[in-house]
Amino acid sequence: MGSTRMNPPTSTLLSRTFFILLFTFLSQIKAHYELSKTFIFRIDSESKPSVFPTHYHWYTSEFAHPTRILHLYDTVFHGFSAVLTPQEVASIGQHPSVLAVFEDSRRDLHTTRSPQFVGLRNQRGLWFETDYGSDVIIGVFDTGIWPERRSFSDSNLGPIPKRWKGVCETGVRFSPDNCNRKLIGARFFSKGHEASGTSVNETFEFRSPRDADGHGTHTASTAAGRYVFEASMEGYASGVAKGVAPKARLAMYKVCWKNSGCFDSDILAAFDAAVNDGVDVISMSIGGGDGISSPYYLDPIAIGSYGAVSRGVFVSSSGGNDGPSGMSVTNLAPWLTTVAAGTIDRDFPAEVILGNGRRLSGVSLYSGVPLKGRMYPLIYPGKSGVLTDSLCMESSLNPDLVKGKIVVCDRGSNPRVAKGLEVKKAGGVGMILVNGISNGEGLVGDAHLLPTCALGANFGDEIKAYISSSANPKATIDFKGTVVGIKPAPVVASFSARGPNPLSLEILKPDLTAPGVNILAAWTDAVGPSGLESDTRRSEFNILSGTSMACPHVSGAAALLKAAHPDWSPAAIRSAMMTTATLLDNTNSHIVDQATGNGSTPYDFGAGHLDLALAIDPGLVYDITNDDYVMFLCAIGYGPRLIQVITRWPPHCPRRRLLPENLNYPSFVAVLPASSSSRGLSLLSKTFFRTVTNVGEPNSVYWVTMETQVEGVTVTVRPSRLVFSEAVKKRSFVVTVTGVAGNMVLGETGAVFGSLSWTDGKHVVRSPIVVTQAQSL
């Protein structure tokens, strides 16, 4: 008997069709959102149609659905950020009111005794005259804050300044009760971070202003931490900890997230909030880490900081940690104050003692059980020729070879403390961390999990040679604790990023140098001092190095200067710090470069090392107005539309050709054209126009002095004397730099250096001079 085939009922067919269509629809939605990214839109705010009551109504009607918009910007920047597909962005970009569009990008963090080292003293000078900066508000853009630390006590502080309009946001383990008269505000910005596809991992991060990383707590207390007695990191650097401006008020803007960086869209939102809240100074130890410098009109940090500076807010930024390579400095906009890192006169020495009796000097912050002079077998995994072995990367070490030995690891690629963890996991008893040629002799201390000593490149080569030539290489490590009075200091840190300025050769960057090596400051309670998740230690303070540590020194300094001179502009404050900076170390010799041991240059340290004993009374300042910055943007060839992206308003660039070197900066970079003449000697020249403002004695006379003894280069200044009176507070002068093509001998950096100073017998107002050559574009 044959079987009868039954056709499915119509309802089943309809049901299948429905699910196929639903699956297709959901797949299309999934594909759509997988293509979506965060973009930032710069809008001409003046072109809003009057039919819309607010910009938000306009944006959500014409540009993007409300659920796709992350941030609205209306203070330092006009526009919004939204999660959209490239096709949607291309369509919106055609709108006549859209001035610019850029994709959200990720930024990196530029990862006690130092206030005295920059010239601050109790009972006199800048601290005494400003009541330690008590009425100034510093906004810190970073990873958050651990508010319970003693560094953030509001004991004996007066009421919060009435102009403050900020808030203390509620979140995980953070409430308004965590703020006080010291920490007067705290916000967090996560929308850009989460839109990138990286959710806030609440197993080790806080969706609030609370700091899970430690970096933000450290930088905030460096800038403005209160006096804390009996401070130390596991016994190292013990003493009284304090920030540069101990009574300044703090506001934390958490824009960076543990292990995830900081997104431009969130940083821009923080700029908007901080300026509206009423901060006086913004401290931002954040910057690009990809080696590529975006033009100012595509750089949200440059755009946001212009909006802040144009409203009188001083912005301090870290120069980056990609030194000692040239042209590695970041945060290049001329309205930013860009800070390099130097050492202080405190160190944490340790010695590697080899089996042959040789002693090699290094540094260490290891605080556990010492080796007590016992010798252990010594091994260098890099002998295998495998790079991951030499760097002690994760899972690269063979426990059979490492167990019970001291392991030599090369610096680079993975975190220094993570190398030690790998050695410990493989059974090693200690680590010797050695520099390669790129780091030279520059050393920084780390709170390692096992006995460790860091050595410079020369000793690193020596220890490897000893291992290769010895049948039974052995070593031990001797830890010597804290030593002060180290000479020479300061020294430019080897990791500190260097000039010249890759965007605008005519603007010297970095601007100046501040302490950034082995800085003691407050720390989070969420992680140990090594920052590793496996580190169960907890410390109220930690010791870190980086231009991230140098930046808040200048932020605190700016707060003190703002308190002493409330009418000074951000440019005047920067000028005071730059023209009084020192070029000498504590041996009265020229500051040297840690990477090479040779003399350093303005490409390394800018105008010099911060000296607040002099900055309070600089005599003369080089002031810069918002219009001056606009004229600079005209001079570098930006058109009206691009300039409006930065400044909010369409500019009126003059018809006559402007020169970028005539921005009224406290430094001079003469970019002479490369000579194309093949016959004889040709003269190459560059002329600078500058104006100085007298902020010292009303009736005074300044004379120019030059410090340039470079063959083939002459510098003339007209006039050579500046006379000021009650009625005349500003004077202008002209500097002409002339080089003889063929006779100029440019050094390894492709430049020669000197300085120009104005002095009235009391003040010395010094500016660096750089002379270089470049092909015309």
Side-chain angles (χ1 to χ4, degrees), residues 620 701-705 722 757-765:
L620 307 175
V701 179
Y702 284 80
W703 296 85
V704 72
T705 58
L722 302 177
S757 299
W758 291 101
T759 181
D760 63 349
K762 176 186 177 183
H763 306 93
V764 177
V765 187

Side-chain angles (χ1 to χ4, degrees), residues 8 109 115 118 202 419 464 741:
L109 293 160
V118 297
E202 298 195 31
K419 298 174 189 289
K464 291 172 187 176

Side-chain angles (χ1 to χ4, degrees), residues 8-82:
T10 303
S11 61
T12 303
L13 288 172
L14 289 172
S15 187
R16 277 185 191 168
T17 303
F18 170 77
F19 281 111
I20 290 170
L21 290 172
L22 178 62
F23 177 78
T24 303
F25 175 68
L26 292 174
S27 298
Q28 289 173 341
I29 289 179
K30 181 173 182 288
H32 176 88
Y33 279 98
E34 285 177 346
L35 287 172
S36 297
K37 294 181 179 179
T38 301
F39 292 86
I40 301 169
F41 296 85
R42 179 71 171 86
I43 306 296
D44 179 1
S45 62
E46 296 300 304
S47 61
K48 177 181 74 67
S50 58
V51 67
F52 297 110
T54 68
H55 284 84
Y56 175 76
H57 288 88
W58 180 31
Y59 299 156
T60 54
S61 296
E62 290 199 27
F63 298 108
H65 190 272
T67 59
R68 312 287 292 285
I69 289 180
L70 300 180
H71 295 294
L72 295 179
Y73 310 110
D74 63 4
T75 302
V76 302
F77 183 85
H78 263 294
F80 63 92
S81 53

Side-chain angles (χ1 to χ4, degrees), residues 434-437 441 456-467:
V434 300
N435 285 358
I437 191 169
E441 303 309 307
N458 291 333
F459 283 155
D461 291 341
E462 183 175 338
I463 203 168
K464 291 172 187 176
Y466 165 71
I467 293 171

Side-chain angles (χ1 to χ4, degrees), residues 42 62 119 157-158 280 287 314 317 373 387 433 473 566 685 731:
R42 179 71 171 86
E62 290 199 27
L157 281 182
D280 301 298
F314 181 95
S317 58
L387 183 62
L433 182 64
S685 69
R731 288 291 189 189

Side-chain angles (χ1 to χ4, degrees), residues 169-389:
E169 288 186 348
T170 298
V172 176
R173 291 190 61 188
F174 208 97
S175 73
D177 291 339
N178 288 120
C179 291
N180 55 21
R181 295 190 307 275
K182 176 65 175 179
L183 178 62
I184 63 175
R187 296 178 184 265
F188 65 103
F189 302 84
S190 62
K191 291 178 181 177
H193 164 73
E194 295 184 272
S196 71
T198 308
S199 61
V200 174
N201 188 331
E202 298 195 31
T203 60
F204 58 77
E205 178 58 283
F206 306 102
R207 192 187 296 276
S208 76
R210 186 169 289 277
D211 183 10
D213 179 273
H215 192 276
T217 302
H218 199 279
T219 57
S221 61
T222 299
R226 299 300 302 277
Y227 277 71
V228 177
F229 293 90
E230 298 180 356
S232 75
M233 194 288 290
E234 302 274 306
Y236 285 99
S238 59
V240 180
K242 55 204 162 294
V244 176
K247 286 190 178 180
R249 315 308 172 109
L250 281 167
M252 175 54 68
Y253 298 84
K254 182 174 178 177
V255 296
C256 303
W257 298 81
K258 186 175 175 66
N259 302 331
S260 301
C262 336
F263 282 84
D264 284 339
S265 56
D266 294 332
I267 294 171
L268 260 181
F271 269 116
D272 243 26
V275 173
N276 278 323
D277 288 347
V279 303
D280 301 298
V281 174
I282 290 174
S283 186
M284 187 176 56
S285 295
I286 301 168
D290 55 8
I292 300 172
S293 299
S294 299
Y296 305 124
Y297 60 86
L298 291 179
D299 180 358
I301 287 180
I303 295 167
S305 59
Y306 177 87
V309 169
S310 67
R311 288 164 176 78
V313 178
F314 181 95
V315 183
S316 174
S317 58
S318 47
N321 299 334
D322 291 332
S325 301
M327 211 173 272
S328 54
V329 63
T330 65
N331 291 325
L332 304 171
W335 44 87
L336 282 167
T337 299
T338 308
V339 189
T343 64
I344 61 173
D345 63 343
R346 179 182 64 201
D347 208 354
F348 310 103
E351 274 189 337
V352 172
I353 305 170
L354 301 180
N356 61 10
R358 183 88 167 98
R359 292 175 175 266
L360 309 179
S361 299
V363 300
S364 181
L365 289 171
Y366 173 70
S367 59
V369 178
L371 298 181
K372 299 179 181 178
R374 180 180 172 184
M375 287 282 178
Y376 289 89
L378 188 61
I379 182 176
Y380 175 49
K383 286 180 68 175
S384 67
V386 178
L387 183 62
T388 55
D389 293 354

Side-chain angles (χ1 to χ4, degrees), residues 87 155 176 203 283 327 340 356 409 428 441 444 454 499 514 530 537 572 592 670 674 696 748 753:
Q87 292 83 1
S155 175
T203 60
S283 186
M327 211 173 272
N356 61 10
C409 298
E441 303 309 307
V444 293
S530 70
R537 298 172 296 173
V592 301
E748 291 181 7
F753 308 95

